[in-house]
Amino acid sequence: MSNKTILIAGLGLIGGSLARAIKAGHPQYHLSAYNRSQAPREFALQEQLVDEASDDFDTLAVKADVIILNFPVQLSIQFLKRLASLPLKQDVLISDSGSTKQDIMESAVSLFADKPIRFIGGHPMAGSHKTGVIASDALLFENAYYILTPAPNTQTKDIDELKLILSHTHAKFIELTADDHDAMTAVTSHFPHVVASALVHEAEDFSKQMPFTKNLAAGGFRDMTRIAESSPEMWSEILMSNADNVVSQIDQFTAQLHVVKDLIKAKQHEQLWEFFDQARELRSQMPIHKGAMANFYDLFISIPDRSDVIHEILNYLSGHELSIVNIKINETRIDINGVLQITFKTINDLETAETLIKTHTSYDVYK
Amino acid sequence: MSNKTILIAGLGLIGGSLARAIKAGHPQYHLSAYNRSQAPREFALQEQLVDEASDDFDTLAVKADVIILNFPVQLSIQFLKRLASLPLKQDVLISDSGSTKQDIMESAVSLFADKPIRFIGGHPMAGSHKTGVIASDALLFENAYYILTPAPNTQTKDIDELKLILSHTHAKFIELTADDHDAMTAVTSHFPHVVASALVHEAEDFSKQMPFTKNLAAGGFRDMTRIAESSPEMWSEILMSNADNVVSQIDQFTAQLHVVKDLIKAKQHEQLWEFFDQARELRSQMPIHKGAMANFYDLFISIPDRSDVIHEILNYLSGHELSIVNIKINETRIDINGVLQITFKTINDLETAETLIKTHTSYDVYK
């Protein structure tokens, strides 16, 4: 089966990035792409992401060994219905990349009950600030979780086959039930999204009485509401397709806020302290801190609010072969930037940089 | 009055930074510092932040023309009571740097009702990831809002005098009533802090059923809960001293979540879309986006997850006199870093950098 035909249905950021990764890992595969509008198809052909592209879904589908649907969940379900009516190849392997998994798994299991079609749900958990196939990137999923939700009749070899096709995403594949996936992402993603948008509404409502409020909406508020600027189409659809779990989170969160309210009203200072202290402790233990940057060495430099200061500091460091892993300005002050954080691979490099900066400047430097 | 004596009471990050800024602007002033523990006093003397330091508050207070209290609000109120009992200089000017303003203003107005003491509440809205006088920084408040809450008997010349003393903080001074300050900061800071900690508790509670949840707690969840790792002492005290406003925010937020819940349960897809779309639109119009980085030019480079890649890119840019305003890795992928964002002062510099990177690498570059 070295000459598999893979159909990427839906050429957006995710579909395009999957195409790039599959092509990188398996140059011998025939990649086809379905997309309704023309521009992404032309881009994909021109950039050689795929070998063939068309707006004729049926014709591409019947020739495919593997089909990956990259649409919002409800649209993917429409395409599943279409696939169930087509004379697909024997043993075709179908997957998707939607953000929720229960609805699509239920549809697939029901639609393909009497067919040899193999369906495995998929959710590559990565995104970008850019959208569209033009922003697609073979590296988009590198080290990201890629959740696979098998159907009851899925066999280990089917999972292995899909993982092999997707191997050059360099993602971390995890198998979960659709129910578990949706319950967990409700907690870590879908409900927090509601919270972010509700915080914006609340600040806006309040600003009608006190317009200066918006000027103070910085720092923590800025971080907490950043995701409220994401696509309303995508998020309203995700919420609708994960309704029960999100409603359950709203209920539990409301109950928790009620407890805090009672503590405040009863002046239970010590228990309020515990509420914050436990949260602090719990978060510090979360794997949230791990990732590519673990075990490296941070140097913090208090820099003035001047546009050439990074350039100045990088000049002092240049020519010393320092392995800079990351560099960023932390927005620790409200409204402006203030502390430059440079991350090094080794403690030696950190110490060299510290000495260089202290020699050339009077900026405060912390480790 | 060029030889004013200024007492900085409480030598932490804020007190130390105020001392540095006052000293920078008015080298002729005599700066004294009260601190109970010895180490910060020794540090402040050694670093010449202040001219005199002691744990004898009364002796320093009676010699001072200006006294700035840098304590948690309830402790500042204890010091106000102490000050009311001392034979202070005629026309002494007292201020503080606490996070809430109603309690301290009420205390000051009542305690000093029959005295010539002038009290103006203060809240410099800046912080750092570091604490203590050792992290103090004359630039800490640069461009940050510095809220002043005048008392009923405060005169314009008193405000002007305090602003002059603090002029080298380079902060943006704003006058507000204590009530307005506390109401607005409840919306933009104190209540969001409750939300961040409650999100952590909720994820933790849920993880007891499904431990893998914590692995998915990244991206938006990470940004939204970052402030939950702040000091529980500070935040429980802030909440207690802004109880009514925070309780009112909890009630309004709960009501808002209830509306969202009803929309989800009633499958009101379109109204849910509007909820998200309005939040997106409202946030995009907030001054949250403004600041030091406005009107500069961003270049985005999709980089592989390799520790030497920033070093590599900076090498390509070095020697071209490019005005780099900011540089950071955006954590757009869950768990790892993926897009390097470099901000330039001019469009010409951005274009030069784009050409250099495209010449030397095959990384995708976006503007």
Side-chain angles (χ1 to χ4, degrees):
Chain A
M1 286 277 278
S2 65
N3 288 314
K4 277 189 173 131
T5 294
I6 318 278
L7 167 58
I8 302 292
L11 272 177
L13 173 72
I14 302 295
S17 299
L18 288 175
R20 284 186 192 271
I22 294 169
K23 198 83 185 165
H26 309 279
Q28 78 281 19
Y29 285 179
H30 180 81
L31 259 72
S32 65
Y34 161 82
N35 203 71
R36 197 175 52 175
S37 59
Q38 193 180 354
R41 295 197 309 264
E42 285 183 353
F43 178 88
L45 286 171
Q46 196 179 323
E47 295 278 307
Q48 297 181 296
L49 268 68
V50 296
D51 307 295
E52 178 185 10
S54 158
D55 63 352
D56 179 354
F57 181 74
D58 295 3
T59 303
L60 295 174
V62 297
K63 293 190 293 179
D65 300 295
V66 178
I67 300 171
I68 304 179
L69 304 173
N70 307 287
F71 303 112
V73 172
Q74 292 309 316
L75 187 55
S76 280
I77 290 173
Q78 295 307 311
F79 276 94
L80 284 188
K81 288 180 183 161
R82 184 83 200 150
L83 288 170
S85 73
L86 294 174
L88 299 180
K89 278 196 182 175
Q90 191 77 4
D91 273 342
V92 62
L93 181 61
I94 304 178
S95 188
D96 80 311
S97 59
S99 301
T100 62
K101 300 268 60 91
Q102 287 177 98
D103 285 359
I104 196 151
M105 288 307 297
E106 277 169 28
S107 295
V109 169
S110 140
L111 285 164
F112 304 147
D114 308 321
K115 299 179 193 293
I117 291 170
R118 299 172 296 160
F119 183 85
I120 301 170
H123 180 201
M125 298 182 74
S128 166
H129 62 289
K130 298 274 179 180
T131 57
V133 68
I134 199 165
S136 65
D137 181 354
L139 299 166
L140 184 67
F141 310 109
E142 190 186 19
N143 288 345
Y145 284 113
Y146 197 129
I147 311 298
L148 298 177
T149 59
N153 69 341
T154 301
Q155 295 177 33
T156 305
K157 70 169 182 54
D158 304 333
I159 295 271
D160 291 345
E161 187 183 336
L162 186 56
K163 282 187 194 169
L164 181 64
I165 292 163
L166 298 168
S167 59
H168 269 60
T169 57
H170 300 299
K172 296 186 278 188
F173 293 100
I174 303 284
E175 287 168 50
L176 294 174
T177 67
D179 286 5
D180 284 1
H181 170 277
D182 288 6
M184 289 192 274
T185 51
V187 176
T188 59
S189 170
H190 309 167
F191 173 67
H193 210 93
V194 173
V195 169
S197 298
L199 281 172
V200 172
H201 277 283
E202 185 144 333
E204 173 69 17
D205 291 348
F206 195 82
S207 297
K208 285 172 188 152
Q209 305 162 48
M210 296 193 192
F212 193 71
T213 308
K214 288 189 188 179
N215 293 87
L216 302 184
F221 185 91
R222 174 164 45 200
D223 288 348
M224 293 182 72
T225 57
R226 189 178 52 79
I227 56 173
E229 288 199 41
S230 317
S231 154
E233 286 76 15
M234 179 174 157
W235 283 97
S236 52
E237 218 230 357
I238 287 174
L239 253 63
M240 292 309 300
S241 69
N242 202 7
D244 292 348
N245 285 311
V246 174
V247 164
S248 152
Q249 287 302 305
I250 290 176
D251 288 341
Q252 285 175 47
F253 197 78
T254 304
Q256 199 153 53
L257 288 182
H258 201 85
V259 170
V260 175
K261 175 181 161 178
D262 287 346
L263 291 179
I264 296 173
K265 291 184 82 166
K267 301 191 189 300
Q268 296 286 324
H269 196 144
E270 198 167 326
Q271 282 168 268
L272 205 54
W273 179 88
E274 269 177 29
F275 167 79
F276 283 123
D277 190 53
Q278 283 171 4
R280 185 186 59 75
E281 179 68 16
L282 291 169
R283 190 181 188 280
S284 73
Q285 289 167 0
M286 283 186 173
I288 214 161
H289 299 280
K290 284 190 200 155
M293 295 299 111
N295 298 320
F296 292 131
Y297 300 89
D298 288 325
L299 193 68
F300 298 93
I301 305 137
S302 179
I303 52 170
D305 188 20
R306 228 178 52 225
S307 69
D308 57 347
V309 70
I310 301 176
H311 196 227
E312 176 197 340
I313 285 176
L314 293 178
N315 271 344
Y316 303 139
L317 305 187
S318 73
H320 291 268
E321 300 288 331
L322 301 179
S323 60
I324 298 175
V325 176
N326 201 349
I327 175 167
K328 64 175 175 175
I329 291 187
N330 289 312
E331 297 177 353
T332 53
R333 283 180 274 173
I334 287 181
D335 247 12
I336 61 152
N337 302 292
V339 174
L340 180 67
Q341 176 181 359
I342 310 184
T343 308
F344 298 93
K345 206 169 179 177
T346 69
I347 185 80
N348 281 343
D349 282 0
L350 176 140
E351 284 169 356
T352 305
E354 186 185 10
T355 306
L356 288 166
I357 293 164
K358 284 187 171 170
T359 307
H360 289 93
T361 79
S362 61
Y363 304 142
D364 286 328
V365 180
Y366 316 100
K367 277 180 280 193
Chain B
M1 286 277 277
S2 65
N3 288 315
K4 275 190 175 127
T5 294
I6 317 278
L7 167 57
I8 302 293
L11 272 177
L13 173 72
I14 302 295
S17 299
L18 288 175
R20 285 186 192 272
I22 294 170
K23 198 83 188 165
H26 310 278
Q28 78 280 19
Y29 285 179
H30 179 81
L31 258 74
S32 65
Y34 161 81
N35 203 71
R36 197 175 51 175
S37 59
Q38 192 180 353
R41 295 198 309 264
E42 285 184 353
F43 178 88
L45 286 170
Q46 198 180 320
E47 295 278 308
Q48 297 181 295
L49 269 69
V50 296
D51 306 296
E52 179 186 10
S54 158
D55 62 351
D56 180 354
F57 180 75
D58 295 2
T59 303
L60 295 175
V62 296
K63 292 191 292 180
D65 299 295
V66 178
I67 300 171
I68 305 179
L69 304 174
N70 307 287
F71 303 112
V73 172
Q74 291 309 315
L75 187 55
S76 281
I77 291 173
Q78 295 308 310
F79 276 94
L80 284 188
K81 287 180 185 162
R82 183 83 201 151
L83 288 171
S85 73
L86 292 174
L88 299 180
K89 278 198 183 177
Q90 191 76 4
D91 272 343
V92 62
L93 180 62
I94 304 177
S95 188
D96 80 311
S97 60
S99 301
T100 62
K101 299 268 60 90
Q102 287 177 97
D103 285 358
I104 197 151
M105 287 309 296
E106 277 168 29
S107 295
V109 168
S110 138
L111 284 165
F112 304 146
D114 307 323
K115 298 178 194 293
I117 292 170
R118 299 172 295 159
F119 184 85
I120 300 170
H123 181 202
M125 298 182 74
S128 166
H129 62 290
K130 298 274 180 180
T131 56
V133 67
I134 200 166
S136 65
D137 180 354
L139 299 166
L140 184 67
F141 310 109
E142 191 187 19
N143 287 347
Y145 283 113
Y146 197 130
I147 310 299
L148 298 177
T149 58
N153 68 341
T154 301
Q155 295 178 32
T156 305
K157 69 169 182 54
D158 305 333
I159 295 269
D160 290 346
E161 187 183 337
L162 186 58
K163 282 188 194 169
L164 180 64
I165 292 163
L166 297 169
S167 59
H168 270 60
T169 58
H170 298 300
K172 296 186 276 189
F173 293 99
I174 302 284
E175 287 168 52
L176 294 173
T177 67
D179 287 4
D180 283 1
H181 170 276
D182 288 6
M184 289 192 271
T185 51
V187 175
T188 59
S189 170
H190 308 167
F191 173 67
H193 211 92
V194 173
V195 169
S197 298
L199 281 173
V200 172
H201 278 283
E202 184 143 335
E204 172 69 18
D205 292 349
F206 196 82
S207 296
K208 285 173 187 150
Q209 305 160 49
M210 296 192 191
F212 193 71
T213 307
K214 289 189 189 179
N215 293 87
L216 302 183
F221 185 90
R222 175 165 45 203
D223 288 350
M224 293 183 72
T225 58
R226 189 178 52 78
I227 56 173
E229 288 199 41
S230 317
S231 154
E233 286 76 15
M234 180 175 157
W235 284 96
S236 51
E237 218 231 356
I238 287 173
L239 253 65
M240 292 309 301
S241 69
N242 202 8
D244 291 349
N245 285 311
V246 173
V247 164
S248 152
Q249 286 303 304
I250 290 177
D251 288 341
Q252 285 174 47
F253 197 78
T254 304
Q256 199 153 52
L257 288 183
H258 202 84
V259 169
V260 175
K261 175 182 160 178
D262 287 347
L263 292 179
I264 296 173
K265 292 184 82 166
K267 300 191 189 300
Q268 296 287 324
H269 196 143
E270 199 167 326
Q271 283 168 269
L272 205 54
W273 179 88
E274 269 177 29
F275 168 79
F276 284 123
D277 190 54
Q278 283 171 4
R280 186 186 57 76
E281 179 67 17
L282 292 169
R283 190 181 187 280
S284 73
Q285 290 167 0
M286 282 186 174
I288 213 161
H289 299 280
K290 286 190 197 152
M293 296 298 112
N295 299 322
F296 292 131
Y297 300 89
D298 287 324
L299 192 67
F300 298 93
I301 305 138
S302 179
I303 52 169
D305 187 19
R306 227 179 52 223
S307 68
D308 58 346
V309 70
I310 300 176
H311 196 226
E312 176 197 338
I313 285 175
L314 294 178
N315 270 343
Y316 303 139
L317 305 186
S318 73
H320 291 268
E321 299 288 332
L322 302 179
S323 60
I324 297 176
V325 176
N326 200 350
I327 174 166
K328 65 176 173 174
I329 292 187
N330 290 312
E331 298 177 353
T332 53
R333 284 179 271 172
I334 287 181
D335 248 10
I336 62 150
N337 303 293
V339 174
L340 181 67
Q341 177 181 359
I342 309 183
T343 308
F344 298 93
K345 205 168 180 178
T346 69
I347 185 79
N348 281 345
D349 283 359
L350 176 140
E351 284 169 356
T352 305
E354 186 186 11
T355 306
L356 287 167
I357 292 165
K358 284 186 170 169
T359 306
H360 288 95
T361 78
S362 61
Y363 305 142
D364 286 330
V365 180
Y366 316 101
K367 276 179 281 195

